Amino acid sequence: MSRLFLTLTPLLLAAGLAQAQSVDPHAGHHQAQPARAATPTVDPHAGHAMPPSVDPHAGHDMGRMDAQPADPHAGHDMSTMGATADPHAGHDRGGMSMAAPNAPPPSAALSGPAHAADTVFGAQAMAASRSLLIAENGDVRTTGVVIDRLEAGLGDGADAYLWDAQGWTGGDIHRLWWKTEGEGDLQGRLHEAEIQALYSRAISPFWNLQAGVRQDIRPDGPDATHVVLGFQGLAPHWWEIDAAAFLSTKGDLSAKVEAEYDQRITQRLILQPRVEAALSARDAPELDLGAGLSSIQAGLRLRYEFTREFAPYFGIEWTRALGSTTDLIAARGDEPDKTQVVVGLKTWF
């Protein structure tokens, strides 16, 4: 018995020590603490009358949500929104000069010299400069010669040659102009020729008024001198027109109109239709002209410009005498109606 007691005693002591270590160190202590007044949390809205939260969409019919949005200006008075407010309204503009756009310049603007640069560089130096400026920009002198037709005609009647040339010298407004044309047979016999000397004045950007004299040369008949009045220029659709009236020293009044057009097939290949009509106020047997529309001539030429200054061509031309001119042409031994193939050259320099 005593041996058993000795054996269990150490075990009981160890178990009691472990239990003592797990006990709350404050167990059995009286921890009196001062009483704290409980401070209740005060509602900031206490005593306020708070209406219940209202649904902003309460009572709205939400069945059609695709309706157009309400006009933001609905109920606003827009009657005065059409007029643009003057940004200077209420500003004092009494000291501002509100001259009309087409009002004449003030008198002080015309009180100085005609050319203000004269006061700086001198009148003599500026006069020379102004003359040079005019000459280089508006008074250029040019001279030109255009051989429009230099050709041979083969076909009905006698084979013939023909020339038609003109030229000028002068400025853009005033020019001295000359023209010449004639024809003969290939055996060397001259049928007729004419030379004109004209004063030409530009009356518009595309038209020139011309006046002067014309001298006819006829180996088989009397020569004739005419006063010339005509115009030459570029008509709409790029038709080149040359028209003139002639009054001979014997009182014979006649006229001639030429029209031609350059239709460019390529930059170098050009097809040119050409029409010429002659008229007379009365019969003039010495000029082979009958009263009225005396003759008409129509041709078509195709030329190739190797350069702008050198363009050979070939084509066809039909000529018809009309009225009493037919009898005058027949009496001279020529055909009143003929068609010829033409080969020629157009050049200018």
Side-chain angles (χ1 to χ4, degrees), residues 201-265:
R201 189 185 192 285
I203 56 176
S204 75
F206 297 101
W207 293 100
N208 298 303
L209 182 65
Q210 298 175 338
V213 295
R214 163 187 155 187
Q215 179 64 44
D216 291 348
I217 300 172
R218 293 174 175 269
D220 298 334
D223 297 341
T225 304
H226 306 259
V227 176
V228 181
L229 179 63
F231 60 90
Q232 183 174 358
L234 191 64
H237 305 291
W238 302 99
W239 280 91
E240 297 181 23
I241 306 296
D242 188 357
F246 310 99
L247 180 62
S248 73
T249 54
K250 295 183 179 181
D252 296 320
L253 180 62
S254 60
K256 183 170 62 175
V257 180
E258 301 177 13
E260 58 187 33
Y261 174 77
D262 284 353
Q263 175 62 60
R264 291 189 174 273
I265 300 173

Side-chain angles (χ1 to χ4, degrees), residues 47 63 74 109 118-119 122 166 177 184 260 266 317 345:
D118 292 354
T119 62
Q166 58 187 329
W177 206 285
E260 58 187 33
T266 69
E317 188 166 71
L345 174 69

Side-chain angles (χ1 to χ4, degrees), residues 89-229:
H91 293 185
D92 182 9
R93 294 182 288 177
M96 299 176 63
S97 175
M98 303 300 291
N102 297 325
S107 57
L110 305 177
S111 61
H115 303 286
D118 292 354
T119 62
V120 179
F121 301 101
Q124 184 175 0
M126 289 308 302
S129 297
R130 282 190 292 271
S131 298
L132 180 61
L133 184 65
I134 292 173
E136 292 181 347
N137 292 275
D139 192 24
V140 179
R141 303 290 175 174
T142 60
T143 298
V145 174
V146 178
I147 301 176
D148 194 50
R149 293 181 295 161
L150 181 60
E151 66 186 29
L154 310 173
D156 294 344
D159 297 338
Y161 67 89
L162 177 146
W163 77 87
D164 183 2
Q166 58 187 329
W168 72 87
T169 183
D172 292 336
I173 306 298
H174 307 280
R175 287 182 177 182
L176 176 62
W177 206 285
W178 59 267
K179 301 178 183 180
T180 179
E181 62 179 270
E183 62 180 15
D185 56 46
L186 292 183
Q187 286 70 34
R189 177 172 169 265
L190 177 66
H191 294 165
E192 59 182 354
E194 66 178 51
I195 300 174
Q196 299 182 38
L198 307 168
Y199 163 71
S200 177
R201 189 185 192 285
I203 56 176
S204 75
F206 297 101
W207 293 100
N208 298 303
L209 182 65
Q210 298 175 338
V213 295
R214 163 187 155 187
Q215 179 64 44
D216 291 348
I217 300 172
R218 293 174 175 269
D220 298 334
D223 297 341
T225 304
H226 306 259
V227 176
V228 181
L229 179 63

